[in-house]
Structure formats: C-alpha cells, structure tokens
Amino acid sequence: MSIITLTTDYGIKDHFVAVTKGKILSQIPNCQIIDVSHSIDYYNVTSASYMINGICDAFPKNTIHIVCVDAELYEVETFILLHWNDQYFMAPNNGILGVLVEQYPADLILELTVSDSVKCSMDLFIQTASKIVNGVKLEELGKVVEDCERLVQVKPIVSTDENILRGAVIYEDHYGNAIFNISKQLFNEVGKGRNFRVSIGTKYKINRINAYYSDFILESKTLKDYEGNALLVFNELDFLQLSLYKSNPLKHGSVKTLLGLSYRDPLTIEFENQEQQ
C-alpha cells in the first residue's frame, strides 16, 4: 500500500483538503493518506520546511510527501521532486525542501513537467504521485537539475569573532512555544562550552538552557513554583525552543501573546570571550 503525506496551508474550514484526498483516492485507490498539517501559516515556507524536517526520517521507504504551501501555479516558476533517503518529496521550488539537501544530497532532483491538463499545483503533485506508484521512470517526470532553492533569508548568523550567534523565530507550535532557527549542533560548534547570555527582544535575558522541559534548579522550590516561567530547551528536533512552563495558551497566553514574539522576531546569543572565562 502506498503512503502519501500532505502538508499544506489550506486550513480545515473549507473543502480543499477533502477535494485533495478525493482526487488522490480516485487516481491511487487503496493508498494511505497521512495528514501532517493543514495549519501551516499562510504562505509560510519556513514553517513548512521546519515541518518537513520533523517528519523526513519517520516514514518507510517509498513514502510520497506532498508539500503545497505558497504554491500558486502561475506564481511559482518551478516545482520539484526529490528522491531523498528512499522517499519522494514534492513541493514548489521556493526553499521548502532545501532543509533536506542540507543534511545530505538527494539521489535525484527533478524539475517537474507541467502539462496542459494541470489546473493547479496540487493536481501536478497528485498526477506525479500516481505515476510514481504505477512505476513510471522518474526521469520521465521532468528535467534533472543539480540543486534546489534554499531558505537563505532565515539562516542564523555567526559573528566573525564567533562570540555572537543571531537567530529568529521560525515556527510556533500547538503549545504556543516559539522555535528558533538555532540547532543544537550549531550552538555547540559556536559556543564550544562557553558561558552565554540569550537576549530575546529587549526585555528577556536567559543564561541557561534546560536539559529537558522541567529541568529547573528546585532547591526549596517545587515545579509548581515555576509555572509560567520562561525557559529555553532544545526540542525533539534539536532546535532551540522558548517556552512558558505549563502555560496553557488558550487560558493563560503563550510566548506570542505574553512575550510579544512572532515569526522572524530575533534572538541573540552572546558567548563569553575565552579570556573572560
């Protein structure tokens, strides 16, 4: 049975997701459709890229991943197919899939051929998925290209002396946590074990990253005493995350509503000079 995942900015209010699934089942009967998310912020390719990074190692071989975010057929120049880690990823060539090839090279990258029968980008992806399932050679689906677009505008910046690391919010999750584009690997490579101070906006300074969510220095306190406190932690994808401990975003607020942070807001990490330690 073929597995097809869907990641879109369609939302769930309208009929778009149901129509998409209907078209898939009409062309690929008995396939299994997995909804990754249909709540990506409108046109937010950075959030879509973060989502794909989160699922890319979770599915079996030959899974087909369709990513339809900021994918207007007549606005995007090209649409691509990656054969990567024995799976297939399709998206507009707007940087979403760059996160994959930055980990390791794709086996094949195709610029998909858009036929006259294609009325929208999702039709292109579904037709391509059907051809893959039916054994059409990949090279017949488009033109082989060397690379795909990357999301260079939201790359973290390291100062020339490697004492400052600057990042930005790239995603807000269901719990209201703000995810930054600072990976644990990059933090360790730049920091080299040095003491540091994290500045978030103009008000918040943190000089500790929790080993896990509830990793607080208790002493005479209890975990309940820390509810609502801001904390930093590397999440399950090893990206730096700002959370409010045990804060329910629907009742008490979130990082966005209480701290005023939203997409692309900055974060600065200042490491001590070696001489200062």
Side-chain angles (χ1 to χ4, degrees), residues 222-248:
T222 67
L223 285 176
K224 191 170 182 61
D225 293 323
Y226 285 95
E227 291 184 3
N229 280 22
L231 67 98
L232 287 169
V233 67
F234 286 106
N235 67 12
E236 75 285 355
L237 298 181
D238 278 341
F239 280 87
L240 192 61
Q241 172 180 301
L242 177 66
S243 303
L244 297 179
Y245 183 64
K246 292 287 187 176
S247 177
N248 183 328

PDB file of all heavy atoms in Angstrom, residues 222-248:
ATOM      1  N   THR A 222       9.272  24.055  44.319  1.00  0.00           N
ATOM      2  CA  THR A 222       8.692  22.902  43.634  1.00  0.00           C
ATOM      3  C   THR A 222       8.470  23.295  42.174  1.00  0.00           C
ATOM      4  O   THR A 222       8.520  24.477  41.815  1.00  0.00           O
ATOM      5  CB  THR A 222       7.352  22.490  44.261  1.00  0.00           C
ATOM      6  OG1 THR A 222       6.383  23.536  44.028  1.00  0.00           O
ATOM      7  CG2 THR A 222       7.503  22.252  45.762  1.00  0.00           C
ATOM      8  N   LEU A 223       8.193  22.319  41.330  1.00  0.00           N
ATOM      9  CA  LEU A 223       7.940  22.607  39.918  1.00  0.00           C
ATOM     10  C   LEU A 223       6.753  23.553  39.739  1.00  0.00           C
ATOM     11  O   LEU A 223       6.741  24.373  38.816  1.00  0.00           O
ATOM     12  CB  LEU A 223       7.699  21.302  39.146  1.00  0.00           C
ATOM     13  CG  LEU A 223       8.933  20.449  38.847  1.00  0.00           C
ATOM     14  CD1 LEU A 223       8.529  19.152  38.169  1.00  0.00           C
ATOM     15  CD2 LEU A 223       9.923  21.223  37.973  1.00  0.00           C
ATOM     16  N   LYS A 224       5.781  23.461  40.640  1.00  0.00           N
ATOM     17  CA  LYS A 224       4.606  24.336  40.530  1.00  0.00           C
ATOM     18  C   LYS A 224       5.001  25.803  40.662  1.00  0.00           C
ATOM     19  O   LYS A 224       4.375  26.693  40.070  1.00  0.00           O
ATOM     20  CB  LYS A 224       3.571  23.953  41.582  1.00  0.00           C
ATOM     21  CG  LYS A 224       2.224  24.636  41.375  1.00  0.00           C
ATOM     22  CD  LYS A 224       1.165  24.053  42.281  1.00  0.00           C
ATOM     23  CE  LYS A 224      -0.189  24.701  42.034  1.00  0.00           C
ATOM     24  NZ  LYS A 224      -0.674  24.497  40.665  1.00  0.00           N
ATOM     25  N   ASP A 225       6.085  26.059  41.409  1.00  0.00           N
ATOM     26  CA  ASP A 225       6.530  27.444  41.595  1.00  0.00           C
ATOM     27  C   ASP A 225       7.045  28.048  40.286  1.00  0.00           C
ATOM     28  O   ASP A 225       7.133  29.277  40.163  1.00  0.00           O
ATOM     29  CB  ASP A 225       7.645  27.507  42.646  1.00  0.00           C
ATOM     30  CG  ASP A 225       7.141  27.137  44.034  1.00  0.00           C
ATOM     31  OD1 ASP A 225       6.000  27.511  44.359  1.00  0.00           O
ATOM     32  OD2 ASP A 225       7.875  26.448  44.769  1.00  0.00           O
ATOM     33  N   TYR A 226       7.390  27.200  39.328  1.00  0.00           N
ATOM     34  CA  TYR A 226       7.962  27.680  38.076  1.00  0.00           C
ATOM     35  C   TYR A 226       6.911  27.840  36.968  1.00  0.00           C
ATOM     36  O   TYR A 226       7.249  28.250  35.861  1.00  0.00           O
ATOM     37  CB  TYR A 226       9.052  26.729  37.587  1.00  0.00           C
ATOM     38  CG  TYR A 226      10.343  26.837  38.378  1.00  0.00           C
ATOM     39  CD1 TYR A 226      10.605  25.975  39.434  1.00  0.00           C
ATOM     40  CD2 TYR A 226      11.291  27.810  38.069  1.00  0.00           C
ATOM     41  CE1 TYR A 226      11.781  26.068  40.157  1.00  0.00           C
ATOM     42  CE2 TYR A 226      12.478  27.909  38.789  1.00  0.00           C
ATOM     43  CZ  TYR A 226      12.711  27.041  39.826  1.00  0.00           C
ATOM     44  OH  TYR A 226      13.877  27.141  40.547  1.00  0.00           O
ATOM     45  N   GLU A 227       5.665  27.488  37.243  1.00  0.00           N
ATOM     46  CA  GLU A 227       4.639  27.584  36.206  1.00  0.00           C
ATOM     47  C   GLU A 227       4.523  29.016  35.694  1.00  0.00           C
ATOM     48  O   GLU A 227       4.414  29.961  36.465  1.00  0.00           O
ATOM     49  CB  GLU A 227       3.290  27.090  36.741  1.00  0.00           C
ATOM     50  CG  GLU A 227       3.278  25.595  36.996  1.00  0.00           C
ATOM     51  CD  GLU A 227       1.930  25.067  37.433  1.00  0.00           C
ATOM     52  OE1 GLU A 227       0.955  25.868  37.479  1.00  0.00           O
ATOM     53  OE2 GLU A 227       1.829  23.869  37.723  1.00  0.00           O
ATOM     54  N   GLY A 228       4.575  29.158  34.380  1.00  0.00           N
ATOM     55  CA  GLY A 228       4.531  30.469  33.747  1.00  0.00           C
ATOM     56  C   GLY A 228       5.897  31.070  33.486  1.00  0.00           C
ATOM     57  O   GLY A 228       6.010  32.075  32.770  1.00  0.00           O
ATOM     58  N   ASN A 229       6.972  30.457  34.043  1.00  0.00           N
ATOM     59  CA  ASN A 229       8.319  30.974  33.821  1.00  0.00           C
ATOM     60  C   ASN A 229       8.800  30.658  32.402  1.00  0.00           C
ATOM     61  O   ASN A 229       8.508  29.595  31.851  1.00  0.00           O
ATOM     62  CB  ASN A 229       9.299  30.348  34.815  1.00  0.00           C
ATOM     63  CG  ASN A 229       9.229  31.006  36.178  1.00  0.00           C
ATOM     64  OD1 ASN A 229       8.228  31.620  36.522  1.00  0.00           O
ATOM     65  ND2 ASN A 229      10.283  30.877  36.961  1.00  0.00           N
ATOM     66  N   ALA A 230       9.556  31.597  31.837  1.00  0.00           N
ATOM     67  CA  ALA A 230      10.143  31.369  30.517  1.00  0.00           C
ATOM     68  C   ALA A 230      11.353  30.452  30.647  1.00  0.00           C
ATOM     69  O   ALA A 230      12.124  30.536  31.611  1.00  0.00           O
ATOM     70  CB  ALA A 230      10.552  32.696  29.891  1.00  0.00           C
ATOM     71  N   LEU A 231      11.513  29.562  29.688  1.00  0.00           N
ATOM     72  CA  LEU A 231      12.660  28.660  29.674  1.00  0.00           C
ATOM     73  C   LEU A 231      13.073  28.379  28.247  1.00  0.00           C
ATOM     74  O   LEU A 231      12.275  28.487  27.311  1.00  0.00           O
ATOM     75  CB  LEU A 231      12.316  27.346  30.393  1.00  0.00           C
ATOM     76  CG  LEU A 231      11.267  26.440  29.717  1.00  0.00           C
ATOM     77  CD1 LEU A 231      11.939  25.324  28.911  1.00  0.00           C
ATOM     78  CD2 LEU A 231      10.321  25.846  30.748  1.00  0.00           C
ATOM     79  N   LEU A 232      14.343  28.034  28.084  1.00  0.00           N
ATOM     80  CA  LEU A 232      14.874  27.601  26.794  1.00  0.00           C
ATOM     81  C   LEU A 232      15.225  26.128  26.878  1.00  0.00           C
ATOM     82  O   LEU A 232      15.725  25.647  27.902  1.00  0.00           O
ATOM     83  CB  LEU A 232      16.118  28.410  26.424  1.00  0.00           C
ATOM     84  CG  LEU A 232      15.906  29.855  25.997  1.00  0.00           C
ATOM     85  CD1 LEU A 232      17.238  30.593  25.924  1.00  0.00           C
ATOM     86  CD2 LEU A 232      15.190  29.937  24.643  1.00  0.00           C
ATOM     87  N   VAL A 233      14.976  25.408  25.799  1.00  0.00           N
ATOM     88  CA  VAL A 233      15.307  23.993  25.737  1.00  0.00           C
ATOM     89  C   VAL A 233      15.509  23.630  24.262  1.00  0.00           C
ATOM     90  O   VAL A 233      14.926  24.289  23.378  1.00  0.00           O
ATOM     91  CB  VAL A 233      14.184  23.137  26.375  1.00  0.00           C
ATOM     92  CG1 VAL A 233      12.903  23.211  25.555  1.00  0.00           C
ATOM     93  CG2 VAL A 233      14.621  21.694  26.568  1.00  0.00           C
ATOM     94  N   PHE A 234      16.331  22.640  23.987  1.00  0.00           N
ATOM     95  CA  PHE A 234      16.401  22.107  22.629  1.00  0.00           C
ATOM     96  C   PHE A 234      15.300  21.060  22.488  1.00  0.00           C
ATOM     97  O   PHE A 234      15.236  20.108  23.273  1.00  0.00           O
ATOM     98  CB  PHE A 234      17.779  21.504  22.339  1.00  0.00           C
ATOM     99  CG  PHE A 234      18.845  22.546  22.132  1.00  0.00           C
ATOM    100  CD1 PHE A 234      19.801  22.785  23.100  1.00  0.00           C
ATOM    101  CD2 PHE A 234      18.873  23.298  20.966  1.00  0.00           C
ATOM    102  CE1 PHE A 234      20.775  23.757  22.911  1.00  0.00           C
ATOM    103  CE2 PHE A 234      19.840  24.278  20.768  1.00  0.00           C
ATOM    104  CZ  PHE A 234      20.797  24.507  21.742  1.00  0.00           C
ATOM    105  N   ASN A 235      14.416  21.246  21.504  1.00  0.00           N
ATOM    106  CA  ASN A 235      13.253  20.377  21.380  1.00  0.00           C
ATOM    107  C   ASN A 235      13.613  19.033  20.747  1.00  0.00           C
ATOM    108  O   ASN A 235      14.776  18.717  20.545  1.00  0.00           O
ATOM    109  CB  ASN A 235      12.124  21.092  20.616  1.00  0.00           C
ATOM    110  CG  ASN A 235      12.477  21.359  19.161  1.00  0.00           C
ATOM    111  OD1 ASN A 235      13.454  20.849  18.609  1.00  0.00           O
ATOM    112  ND2 ASN A 235      11.660  22.171  18.505  1.00  0.00           N
ATOM    113  N   GLU A 236      12.595  18.256  20.421  1.00  0.00           N
ATOM    114  CA  GLU A 236      12.826  16.900  19.910  1.00  0.00           C
ATOM    115  C   GLU A 236      13.527  16.898  18.553  1.00  0.00           C
ATOM    116  O   GLU A 236      14.099  15.883  18.146  1.00  0.00           O
ATOM    117  CB  GLU A 236      11.499  16.131  19.812  1.00  0.00           C
ATOM    118  CG  GLU A 236      10.577  16.508  18.662  1.00  0.00           C
ATOM    119  CD  GLU A 236       9.849  17.826  18.870  1.00  0.00           C
ATOM    120  OE1 GLU A 236       9.969  18.438  19.959  1.00  0.00           O
ATOM    121  OE2 GLU A 236       9.148  18.256  17.934  1.00  0.00           O
ATOM    122  N   LEU A 237      13.504  18.023  17.847  1.00  0.00           N
ATOM    123  CA  LEU A 237      14.233  18.136  16.579  1.00  0.00           C
ATOM    124  C   LEU A 237      15.578  18.819  16.769  1.00  0.00           C
ATOM    125  O   LEU A 237      16.262  19.125  15.799  1.00  0.00           O
ATOM    126  CB  LEU A 237      13.396  18.912  15.558  1.00  0.00           C
ATOM    127  CG  LEU A 237      12.063  18.292  15.159  1.00  0.00           C
ATOM    128  CD1 LEU A 237      11.364  19.152  14.117  1.00  0.00           C
ATOM    129  CD2 LEU A 237      12.256  16.877  14.642  1.00  0.00           C
ATOM    130  N   ASP A 238      15.936  19.070  18.021  1.00  0.00           N
ATOM    131  CA  ASP A 238      17.206  19.719  18.372  1.00  0.00           C
ATOM    132  C   ASP A 238      17.284  21.157  17.879  1.00  0.00           C
ATOM    133  O   ASP A 238      18.364  21.638  17.502  1.00  0.00           O
ATOM    134  CB  ASP A 238      18.416  18.908  17.875  1.00  0.00           C
ATOM    135  CG  ASP A 238      18.766  17.765  18.820  1.00  0.00           C
ATOM    136  OD1 ASP A 238      18.328  17.814  19.991  1.00  0.00           O
ATOM    137  OD2 ASP A 238      19.463  16.824  18.406  1.00  0.00           O
ATOM    138  N   PHE A 239      16.135  21.871  17.886  1.00  0.00           N
ATOM    139  CA  PHE A 239      16.122  23.297  17.629  1.00  0.00           C
ATOM    140  C   PHE A 239      15.794  24.023  18.933  1.00  0.00           C
ATOM    141  O   PHE A 239      15.033  23.523  19.767  1.00  0.00           O
ATOM    142  CB  PHE A 239      15.102  23.671  16.553  1.00  0.00           C
ATOM    143  CG  PHE A 239      15.587  23.426  15.160  1.00  0.00           C
ATOM    144  CD1 PHE A 239      15.425  22.182  14.550  1.00  0.00           C
ATOM    145  CD2 PHE A 239      16.225  24.431  14.442  1.00  0.00           C
ATOM    146  CE1 PHE A 239      15.876  21.951  13.266  1.00  0.00           C
ATOM    147  CE2 PHE A 239      16.679  24.212  13.158  1.00  0.00           C
ATOM    148  CZ  PHE A 239      16.517  22.973  12.565  1.00  0.00           C
ATOM    149  N   LEU A 240      16.384  25.204  19.093  1.00  0.00           N
ATOM    150  CA  LEU A 240      16.175  25.969  20.322  1.00  0.00           C
ATOM    151  C   LEU A 240      14.725  26.419  20.424  1.00  0.00           C
ATOM    152  O   LEU A 240      14.166  26.971  19.471  1.00  0.00           O
ATOM    153  CB  LEU A 240      17.113  27.171  20.340  1.00  0.00           C
ATOM    154  CG  LEU A 240      17.230  27.924  21.667  1.00  0.00           C
ATOM    155  CD1 LEU A 240      17.778  27.016  22.765  1.00  0.00           C
ATOM    156  CD2 LEU A 240      18.133  29.150  21.497  1.00  0.00           C
ATOM    157  N   GLN A 241      14.138  26.199  21.593  1.00  0.00           N
ATOM    158  CA  GLN A 241      12.721  26.484  21.804  1.00  0.00           C
ATOM    159  C   GLN A 241      12.535  27.321  23.061  1.00  0.00           C
ATOM    160  O   GLN A 241      13.115  27.032  24.105  1.00  0.00           O
ATOM    161  CB  GLN A 241      11.964  25.168  21.951  1.00  0.00           C
ATOM    162  CG  GLN A 241      10.507  25.287  22.371  1.00  0.00           C
ATOM    163  CD  GLN A 241       9.855  23.932  22.486  1.00  0.00           C
ATOM    164  OE1 GLN A 241       9.799  23.172  21.523  1.00  0.00           O
ATOM    165  NE2 GLN A 241       9.343  23.615  23.671  1.00  0.00           N
ATOM    166  N   LEU A 242      11.724  28.359  22.949  1.00  0.00           N
ATOM    167  CA  LEU A 242      11.353  29.187  24.093  1.00  0.00           C
ATOM    168  C   LEU A 242       9.943  28.802  24.524  1.00  0.00           C
ATOM    169  O   LEU A 242       9.012  28.820  23.717  1.00  0.00           O
ATOM    170  CB  LEU A 242      11.403  30.671  23.733  1.00  0.00           C
ATOM    171  CG  LEU A 242      10.969  31.650  24.836  1.00  0.00           C
ATOM    172  CD1 LEU A 242      11.944  31.608  26.013  1.00  0.00           C
ATOM    173  CD2 LEU A 242      10.880  33.073  24.278  1.00  0.00           C
ATOM    174  N   SER A 243       9.811  28.445  25.794  1.00  0.00           N
ATOM    175  CA  SER A 243       8.525  28.002  26.320  1.00  0.00           C
ATOM    176  C   SER A 243       8.174  28.771  27.577  1.00  0.00           C
ATOM    177  O   SER A 243       9.042  29.324  28.252  1.00  0.00           O
ATOM    178  CB  SER A 243       8.576  26.499  26.650  1.00  0.00           C
ATOM    179  OG  SER A 243       8.930  25.724  25.541  1.00  0.00           O
ATOM    180  N   LEU A 244       6.887  28.759  27.906  1.00  0.00           N
ATOM    181  CA  LEU A 244       6.417  29.188  29.214  1.00  0.00           C
ATOM    182  C   LEU A 244       5.975  27.924  29.936  1.00  0.00           C
ATOM    183  O   LEU A 244       5.041  27.247  29.493  1.00  0.00           O
ATOM    184  CB  LEU A 244       5.261  30.179  29.086  1.00  0.00           C
ATOM    185  CG  LEU A 244       5.578  31.499  28.387  1.00  0.00           C
ATOM    186  CD1 LEU A 244       4.325  32.371  28.316  1.00  0.00           C
ATOM    187  CD2 LEU A 244       6.697  32.249  29.098  1.00  0.00           C
ATOM    188  N   TYR A 245       6.646  27.585  31.019  1.00  0.00           N
ATOM    189  CA  TYR A 245       6.425  26.306  31.672  1.00  0.00           C
ATOM    190  C   TYR A 245       4.973  26.135  32.116  1.00  0.00           C
ATOM    191  O   TYR A 245       4.422  26.956  32.848  1.00  0.00           O
ATOM    192  CB  TYR A 245       7.363  26.163  32.873  1.00  0.00           C
ATOM    193  CG  TYR A 245       7.256  24.831  33.569  1.00  0.00           C
ATOM    194  CD1 TYR A 245       7.613  23.657  32.906  1.00  0.00           C
ATOM    195  CD2 TYR A 245       6.778  24.748  34.864  1.00  0.00           C
ATOM    196  CE1 TYR A 245       7.504  22.437  33.534  1.00  0.00           C
ATOM    197  CE2 TYR A 245       6.671  23.519  35.510  1.00  0.00           C
ATOM    198  CZ  TYR A 245       7.027  22.360  34.830  1.00  0.00           C
ATOM    199  OH  TYR A 245       6.920  21.137  35.454  1.00  0.00           O
ATOM    200  N   LYS A 246       4.360  25.065  31.615  1.00  0.00           N
ATOM    201  CA  LYS A 246       2.985  24.668  31.968  1.00  0.00           C
ATOM    202  C   LYS A 246       1.948  25.749  31.674  1.00  0.00           C
ATOM    203  O   LYS A 246       0.902  25.799  32.313  1.00  0.00           O
ATOM    204  CB  LYS A 246       2.903  24.279  33.442  1.00  0.00           C
ATOM    205  CG  LYS A 246       3.651  23.010  33.809  1.00  0.00           C
ATOM    206  CD  LYS A 246       2.949  21.771  33.304  1.00  0.00           C
ATOM    207  CE  LYS A 246       3.636  20.523  33.834  1.00  0.00           C
ATOM    208  NZ  LYS A 246       2.934  19.290  33.452  1.00  0.00           N
ATOM    209  N   SER A 247       2.225  26.609  30.719  1.00  0.00           N
ATOM    210  CA  SER A 247       1.261  27.650  30.379  1.00  0.00           C
ATOM    211  C   SER A 247       0.317  27.134  29.296  1.00  0.00           C
ATOM    212  O   SER A 247       0.758  26.643  28.257  1.00  0.00           O
ATOM    213  CB  SER A 247       1.983  28.905  29.885  1.00  0.00           C
ATOM    214  OG  SER A 247       1.050  29.887  29.479  1.00  0.00           O
ATOM    215  N   ASN A 248      -0.964  27.208  29.540  1.00  0.00           N
ATOM    216  CA  ASN A 248      -1.973  26.824  28.566  1.00  0.00           C
ATOM    217  C   ASN A 248      -2.262  28.037  27.683  1.00  0.00           C
ATOM    218  O   ASN A 248      -2.815  29.028  28.156  1.00  0.00           O
ATOM    219  CB  ASN A 248      -3.246  26.368  29.266  1.00  0.00           C
ATOM    220  CG  ASN A 248      -4.310  25.879  28.306  1.00  0.00           C
ATOM    221  OD1 ASN A 248      -4.411  26.351  27.182  1.00  0.00           O
ATOM    222  ND2 ASN A 248      -5.114  24.924  28.765  1.00  0.00           N
TER     223      ASN A 248
END
